[in-house]
Amino acid sequence: MSRRPITLRDVAERSASLGDFGRHLRDWLHELRRVSSRTQAMSAITEEPGRLLEKFPEGQVADAWLAAYAEHLAGKIGVPAPEWTLAPWRIAAEPIFDEGGDSAALRTLALARAPLAFKRRNIFTPSVDLPLSLRAGRPAKSVEEKRRTNAERQRRFRKARLDELATLRRLVRGRL
């Protein structure tokens, strides 16, 4: 599969190891940059990802990360977190320190700065990459969506002109 994952469910489906999970999660975050509306952002986290604990030994850690990102993103866009994020098995059994867990200073920084959604799942990280920038106005449309919309607009315009012409012809015939 060359396409990047668009939902957290895609991330889980494609992950066969913790390394795979990390790569796919980074790809998902990259795709999140393209999101321009709350609806699109919500669709990235709505479907429940499969349980990764059953796929590889460190799966519980990955399950916790998925739930943390989903809740964190939901908070950023101002909607309730999906129900699946509340599962008790989506909490890491042991505390996870993302960056420099061996250093006392970095651990303290991670404890202080980790977002609440991550702390709830026993994940401590000094920074969370969430490249979401919702834009005011209408959501961005793909070229294909624009083409479909324009084609439909042209069909409606042509039909309206044909209807007008038919009406004018009936009126002219009625006068003669």
Side-chain angles (χ1 to χ4, degrees):
M1 292 181 188
S2 61
R3 226 182 50 156
R4 288 186 169 138
I6 297 173
T7 66
L8 288 177
R9 184 178 190 157
D10 293 341
V11 171
E13 286 174 358
R14 297 176 185 190
S15 300
S17 68
L18 191 59
D20 281 350
F21 173 76
R23 284 187 294 281
H24 292 307
L25 187 63
R26 280 191 303 274
D27 284 346
W28 176 77
L29 288 167
H30 184 79
E31 284 298 309
L32 206 54
R33 285 179 169 77
R34 297 174 189 229
V35 169
S36 61
S37 71
R38 281 182 171 71
T39 304
Q40 289 173 327
M42 222 23 224
S43 68
I45 61 173
T46 301
E47 292 182 71
E48 182 174 5
R51 196 166 185 177
L52 294 173
L53 177 61
E54 297 167 0
K55 285 181 130 181
F56 50 91
E58 307 89 352
Q60 186 189 23
V61 171
D63 288 331
W65 276 94
L66 290 172
Y69 263 108
E71 182 182 338
H72 190 59
L73 177 58
K76 289 288 184 188
I77 61 174
V79 298
E83 285 292 317
W84 63 264
T85 62
L86 304 175
W89 53 267
R90 291 209 182 262
I91 298 171
E94 298 291 322
I96 301 165
F97 287 88
D98 185 34
E99 297 171 16
D102 297 336
S103 162
L106 288 175
R107 276 179 166 239
T108 303
L109 188 64
L111 286 167
R113 290 191 178 169
L116 185 58
F118 288 80
K119 286 179 181 178
R120 284 185 186 146
R121 286 163 186 82
N122 229 359
I123 300 171
F124 302 95
T125 178
S127 64
V128 173
D129 181 25
L130 193 60
L132 184 68
S133 60
L134 301 180
R135 297 178 263 313
R138 296 182 187 166
K141 288 189 174 184
S142 70
V143 172
E144 185 56 36
E145 287 176 300
K146 289 178 184 179
R147 283 187 184 136
R148 268 195 315 271
T149 302
N150 288 337
E152 183 57 35
R153 187 179 302 122
Q154 283 295 316
R155 278 191 285 281
R156 286 192 313 263
F157 177 80
R158 288 182 184 133
K159 184 181 180 322
R161 297 300 78 83
L162 286 172
D163 291 346
E164 279 179 24
L165 186 57
T167 302
L168 288 173
R169 285 182 179 151
R170 279 193 303 271
L171 287 172
V172 168
R173 278 190 220 129
R175 287 188 191 165
L176 297 175

